[in-house]
Amino acid sequence: MKNAKEVVVEKSLMLIAFSAIFMLFLIAVFIFKEGSPLIFKIGLKNFILSAKWSPLEGQFGILAMIIGSLWITAGALVIGVPLGLGCAILLSEFLPRGITAFLKPTIELLAGIPSVVYGFIGVVVLVPFIRERFGGPGLSVLAGSIILGIMILPTIISISIDALQAVPRSYREGSLALGATQWQTISMVTLKAARSGILASIILGMGRAVGETMAVIMVAGNAVKIPNSIFNPARTLTTNIALEMGFATGDHRAALFATGVVLFVIIMILNILANYAFGKRK
Amino acid sequence: MMEKGIFKLTICSLAVICACGCARRHSITMAGSTAFLPFAEQLAEDYMKKFPGTNINVQGGGSAVGIQSALNGTAQIGMADLITLPESAKDLKKFVAANDGICLIVHPSNKVENLTTKQIRGIYSGEIKNWKEVGGIDKPITVVSREAGSGTRSSFEDLMFKGIKLAGSAIIGDSNGTVREMVINDPYAIGYISHGVVNEKVKALKVDGVPPEYDNFVCGRYKLLRPIYLLIRAEYETQTKEILEYILGPEGQDTIKEQGLIPAGACGKY
């Protein structure tokens, strides 16, 4: 017979674990319950393929926000991925383990800085710089992308380092023994072997960029218009919710929940992709 | 038997606790308009000092929250700063606690001093895109507005350009403070904020030649003026009578004037 104490501990741990999942489930149900009636009412096509958003007059088109999210996230990846990957390669392949062991936690500390601080730095430093150099209001897709690009660095760097370090030594030794240079070894052997982990880090970084709100509200300008240049202001799905939730009632509120539904679906897809990429490695 | 006893005991003690709690403190919650929030806090503090033993809770949340919480009873007094209250608020008792001016603000380096109603409409609808069209330098105008649902925005639109749509390229700030910050940081921006929030780092424009000054607000010469309503459900009227009398009475109105809003009675009828 199993020790009774053990059973109690086991069951209570299971209860705690399930309550976390149950929470997630409740949140999902709640968002869909509040948001989806409006989508059915005005039609999915009118909701996600129209750029006319004036909730007080009953126009609920979120195309401008979807495209705004895509632009800003893509921009964040253009900035964050080369920087993050470069940093991960340097830390795992070139620097001695001791220095990496010190630098990696330092970089991970970046993830702990509140997003409002990033946003503030963006407003006082980056936005005036963009306005003076490139014209326009400064509050723009570019400002949002740069700030988010920096914010996703810790995610990309730390997961990529883990992936690179998981590549067996023998792969590198084999490549070097065949006469390849160190760079050839990294680009042709190590990076290829760590590909799925690096991909997962990028997708997780992307999830963070799509979901980030506060910093984007502060630097992206929040205009409800499809941006046609990176110097135009834009509004993302998350900022749309955060900006208007405080005042919204009735259909307006439902439309914000429906925005949440769209965001939820996008993030779920990203997470499934990330899990798939992780899974492939094993 | 035993269990029943414990049950009775619990009920009794709960009743006692509740009775004590209710009798000791007379508690009132005010919620809503962020524009009126600092003034409401000041008024509540003065009132509690004058009548110790009362407890007034002041919360923000925005005008929509003010109306909602007054309707569903989470707050005895709802605060809303809209020109036109929504249909749902028609059963609530309304009292104008104060009036608030809305100022159009630009960067101090901007040479433009005055805008006509027509020019403001043009700028906010996106027809006028450059400062030189309204007598300024040859630079594109950065139009700053507020998010849909904001009391300041709906009042501004009601007063200024009913029926005209806000330009899509307008930048959106999420509070009076944010809009002011955006204008401070951008030499070519224009925004609108509650006049109590205007400071020396921005320049408030004349509207149709009338400067946004106290005398012009009081006499209604300055166009952009909105009432701040206190909304009360009929059954809370007796409970809130004293605090309401205080706010609308000379003492409360003096505080409101001192803090930079326009007292309710000053305009005659709004």
Side-chain angles (χ1 to χ4, degrees):
Chain A
M1 203 190 107
K2 242 188 188 173
N3 188 340
K5 207 169 132 195
E6 205 160 292
V7 173
V8 170
V9 171
E10 191 189 311
K11 294 284 179 233
S12 43
L13 281 179
M14 200 166 85
L15 194 73
I16 292 165
F18 272 113
S19 68
I21 298 167
F22 187 63
M23 252 359 146
L24 184 71
F25 176 74
L26 274 186
I27 291 171
V29 167
F30 184 74
I31 293 174
F32 275 85
K33 187 182 134 283
E34 296 283 317
S36 47
L38 187 100
I39 299 182
F40 291 127
K41 194 168 129 196
I42 63 166
L44 185 64
K45 211 176 121 220
N46 286 335
F47 187 63
I48 61 172
L49 292 180
S50 152
K52 289 205 180 77
W53 174 264
S54 43
L56 301 181
E57 280 94 58
Q59 288 181 312
F60 305 105
I62 61 164
L63 186 66
M65 287 70 135
I66 294 177
I67 293 183
S69 274
L70 288 180
W71 271 73
I72 290 182
T73 308
L77 290 180
V78 166
I79 290 156
V81 169
L83 274 178
L85 204 54
C87 191
I89 292 172
L90 175 81
L91 285 174
S92 84
E93 303 300 313
F94 291 99
L95 295 180
R97 285 272 154 135
I99 296 180
T100 306
F102 167 72
L103 280 180
K104 192 171 169 246
T106 316
I107 289 167
E108 279 161 3
L109 215 60
L110 275 178
I113 297 178
S115 53
V116 65
V117 174
Y118 282 102
F120 185 68
I121 293 171
V123 167
V124 296
V125 181
L126 195 60
V127 169
F129 177 80
I130 293 174
R131 183 172 52 239
E132 277 151 30
R133 282 296 148 91
F134 305 108
L139 299 157
S140 57
V141 172
L142 181 65
S145 292
I146 294 175
I147 292 295
L148 281 184
I150 296 168
M151 290 180 74
I152 63 174
L153 279 181
T155 312
I156 294 184
I157 294 173
S158 120
I159 299 176
S160 293
I161 288 180
D162 291 343
L164 287 169
Q165 285 180 344
V167 175
R169 260 183 92 82
S170 55
Y171 285 27
R172 298 190 183 88
E173 282 164 357
S175 164
L176 290 171
L178 284 169
T181 61
Q182 194 172 14
W183 175 242
Q184 283 168 332
T185 304
I186 290 168
S187 61
M188 291 172 181
V189 177
T190 324
L191 278 182
K192 281 234 169 88
R195 197 174 46 196
S196 61
I198 290 170
L199 193 66
S201 81
I202 293 171
I203 294 170
L204 284 178
M206 197 153 122
R208 168 115 209 246
V210 171
E212 177 51 44
T213 314
M214 196 59 221
V216 185
I217 285 189
M218 294 172 81
V219 300
N222 311 321
V224 188
K225 195 186 169 205
I226 298 174
N228 43 29
S229 114
I230 53 170
F231 305 117
N232 282 5
R235 182 184 291 197
T236 66
L237 292 165
T238 50
T239 51
N240 189 41
I241 301 172
L243 269 175
E244 296 187 359
M245 208 40 149
F247 297 110
T249 48
D251 271 359
H252 186 187
R253 186 165 174 275
L256 296 180
F257 272 106
T259 312
V261 170
V262 173
L263 191 64
F264 192 89
V265 170
I266 293 175
I267 290 182
M268 278 314 254
I269 292 173
L270 286 181
N271 272 329
I272 290 167
L273 285 178
N275 278 337
Y276 179 72
F278 263 130
K280 239 169 94 179
R281 192 169 59 182
K282 277 159 200 159
Chain B
M1 275 306 278
M2 177 77 174
E3 261 176 32
K4 249 185 189 168
I6 290 175
F7 181 70
K8 272 182 190 161
L9 198 70
T10 320
I11 293 288
C12 286
S13 51
L14 273 179
V16 168
I17 290 168
C18 181
C20 290
C22 300
R24 199 170 49 226
R25 286 233 141 177
H26 182 58
S27 176
I28 287 175
T29 302
M30 299 172 75
S33 164
T34 47
F36 192 60
L37 186 64
F39 307 99
E41 278 167 354
Q42 184 63 45
L43 287 165
E45 204 177 292
D46 291 350
Y47 185 79
M48 287 188 281
K49 227 178 260 165
K50 203 173 160 195
F51 303 100
T54 38
N55 184 27
I56 300 170
N57 232 317
V58 185
Q59 295 163 4
S63 296
V65 172
I67 296 166
Q68 274 308 316
S69 49
L71 279 173
N72 65 25
T74 42
Q76 284 82 11
I77 303 180
M79 308 179 282
D81 51 18
L82 300 160
I83 299 262
T84 16
L85 290 169
E87 187 66 7
S88 58
K90 70 177 193 303
D91 292 334
L92 296 169
K93 295 261 173 192
K94 305 170 199 48
F95 303 90
V96 177
N99 286 298
D100 179 28
I102 298 174
C103 289
L104 278 144
I105 52 166
V106 294
H107 196 266
S109 69
N110 197 320
K111 281 194 293 257
V112 176
E113 298 284 343
N114 177 43
L115 287 175
T116 64
T117 309
K118 208 175 152 208
Q119 285 170 330
I120 296 169
R121 280 196 199 127
I123 290 171
Y124 272 89
S125 65
E127 278 163 37
I128 299 177
K129 290 191 162 65
N130 198 304
W131 280 111
K132 74 177 177 201
E133 292 171 65
V134 291
I137 45 169
D138 184 12
K139 284 282 180 188
I141 303 175
T142 310
V143 179
V144 184
S145 184
R146 290 285 302 278
E147 71 281 17
S150 137
T152 312
R153 170 163 166 183
S154 55
S155 302
F156 179 75
E157 291 186 347
D158 275 355
L159 289 164
M160 264 299 160
F161 56 96
K162 248 194 168 142
I164 296 178
K165 268 191 83 95
L166 177 70
S169 54
I171 285 182
I172 307 293
D174 60 355
S175 70
N176 278 304
T178 315
V179 171
R180 188 181 65 196
E181 243 5 79
M182 285 171 168
V183 173
I184 291 171
N185 285 319
D186 185 343
Y188 316 119
I190 182 167
Y192 56 85
I193 58 176
S194 164
H195 91 281
V197 194
V198 175
N199 65 7
E200 70 287 351
K201 287 182 183 155
V202 292
K203 186 166 81 176
L205 295 176
K206 294 179 196 165
V207 175
D208 290 330
V210 184
E213 285 159 7
Y214 185 78
D215 289 343
N216 294 326
F217 288 135
V218 171
C219 307
R221 277 195 294 268
Y222 184 82
K223 274 180 110 169
L224 292 167
L225 204 64
R226 58 168 169 174
I228 290 171
Y229 286 110
L230 299 181
L231 304 168
I232 297 163
R233 219 158 75 166
E235 70 235 55
Y236 292 130
E237 245 182 302
T238 41
Q239 204 182 338
T240 55
K241 194 165 167 263
E242 282 161 12
I243 171 92
L244 204 64
E245 270 170 6
Y246 175 81
I247 294 176
L248 301 179
E251 266 177 277
Q253 293 296 310
D254 275 352
T255 314
I256 283 172
K257 189 178 167 186
E258 260 167 48
Q259 304 283 322
L261 279 186
I262 299 109
C267 270
K269 188 185 155 284
Y270 174 68

